[in-house]
Amino acid sequence: MDIPSVRSAIIGLSLLLQWPVSAENARLPYQHLYRIQTVQAALCQSHTNLLLVLQLRSASTNVKTSDIEAFIDSKSGKIPLPIGPDGEISVPVRDDLLAEDPWLITNQPKGTMELNWQAGLSKSLVRQMTNSVRYSPVMQAVRECDDVQEKMRQFFPAAPKLTLAGLKFIFPPPIKAAALIIHAKDGDRKLEADTNGELIVPLDESLLDENPMMTFSVPPAKVQLLSRKSGE
């Protein structure tokens, strides 16, 4: 694995789309979001160790998530769409709205909004990473992101193809003794955090089969997926 070419994301793998619009404000057809969430729900059932998130964010660094407002412009009235602190959205899944196919309209100018879709480790899996955790359940979830990415590509065809390379663990200060030990059959493998409190555990096929225990000197504060563009 070429470590310098690997990138990470706090939530996980990100698939990006900037929707082309012709109206004054940025908007999306409800049917498109409905289809994404239908596939997303099916993926959540088959990949229970992953967290799947749909986000609506501005491409402008000057616009905060709290500045963004959105609603579904239904014939029966405007339906406000709550937006989470990181842009998380979830539209109501309703047959009557699907038949009507209204617009989801934002208060931001056309061409400035991005629809992001991300996958990462589920909160329940991350909560297990205290003193120790088995290698295979964690890394198998990382591998499953490849399948999820392919199924979501129908909605985000312009997104780059990413290959999942492993996990980055970020430890809270003080970080002088932060380390992780993989108790492999051929001997312990100790990985020490760098000066930023970060260490990388690569996806290793032999360790997936062996499923060794991993122990932490201290529980990590964050866990990030590592990915690289395919072919790099």
Side-chain angles (χ1 to χ4, degrees):
M1 179 178 64
D2 182 10
I3 296 298
S5 71
V6 173
R7 66 178 184 176
S8 65
I10 293 176
I11 296 179
L13 181 65
S14 178
L15 302 177
L16 177 65
L17 170 73
Q18 182 169 312
W19 191 266
V21 295
S22 58
E24 283 301 316
N25 282 11
R27 57 179 63 193
L28 288 166
Y30 172 84
Q31 188 178 81
H32 185 77
L33 294 166
Y34 178 97
R35 290 174 56 217
I36 292 177
Q37 288 200 174
T38 299
V39 173
Q40 180 177 328
L43 289 171
C44 286
Q45 290 185 338
S46 58
H47 300 286
T48 56
N49 281 331
L50 293 178
L51 173 67
L52 312 179
V53 180
L54 193 64
Q55 296 173 314
L56 191 64
R57 308 176 80 169
S58 174
S60 173
T61 57
N62 297 324
V63 177
K64 301 177 182 177
T65 303
S66 57
D67 296 329
I68 302 172
E69 297 177 0
F71 64 90
I72 297 173
D73 193 20
S74 171
K75 292 178 181 177
S76 59
K78 295 180 180 180
I79 304 174
L81 184 70
I83 301 175
D86 290 317
E88 308 95 322
I89 63 169
S90 179
V91 300
V93 178
R94 289 169 33 184
D95 290 340
D96 61 325
L97 290 176
L98 180 61
E100 180 187 338
D101 194 20
W103 288 103
L104 183 150
I105 301 176
T106 77
N107 64 341
Q108 300 300 310
K110 63 179 181 180
T112 65
M113 294 301 296
E114 297 174 341
L115 183 66
N116 298 283
W117 186 86
Q118 297 186 335
L121 300 185
S122 69
K123 294 179 181 179
S124 61
L125 184 59
V126 173
R127 280 196 293 266
Q128 297 176 32
M129 300 178 192
T130 53
N131 298 321
S132 62
V133 67
R134 287 284 180 182
Y135 182 93
S136 295
V138 175
M139 289 301 181
Q140 186 58 42
V142 175
R143 173 184 270 179
E144 289 177 14
C145 286
D146 287 332
D147 175 61
V148 172
Q149 179 184 190
E150 286 307 307
K151 287 183 170 59
M152 293 301 293
R153 187 165 296 280
Q154 60 183 302
F155 305 112
F156 302 88
K161 169 69 176 177
L162 301 178
T163 298
L164 275 295
L167 290 174
K168 177 191 290 184
F169 293 92
I170 303 175
F171 296 90
I175 58 177
K176 292 182 179 179
L180 177 150
I181 299 176
I182 302 175
H183 300 283
K185 290 180 181 178
D186 59 358
D188 289 349
R189 305 180 189 180
K190 185 176 182 180
L191 304 174
E192 296 182 340
D194 61 18
T195 55
N196 295 316
E198 302 175 352
L199 66 81
I200 291 174
V201 178
L203 182 59
D204 186 308
E205 294 296 329
S206 63
L207 291 178
L208 272 174
D209 294 335
E210 182 182 328
N211 192 25
M213 185 69 73
M214 300 190 297
T215 59
F216 301 95
S217 60
V218 293
K222 294 180 181 179
V223 184
Q224 300 181 357
L225 288 177
L226 291 171
S227 65
R228 52 185 168 79
K229 290 184 180 180
S230 296
E232 289 185 347

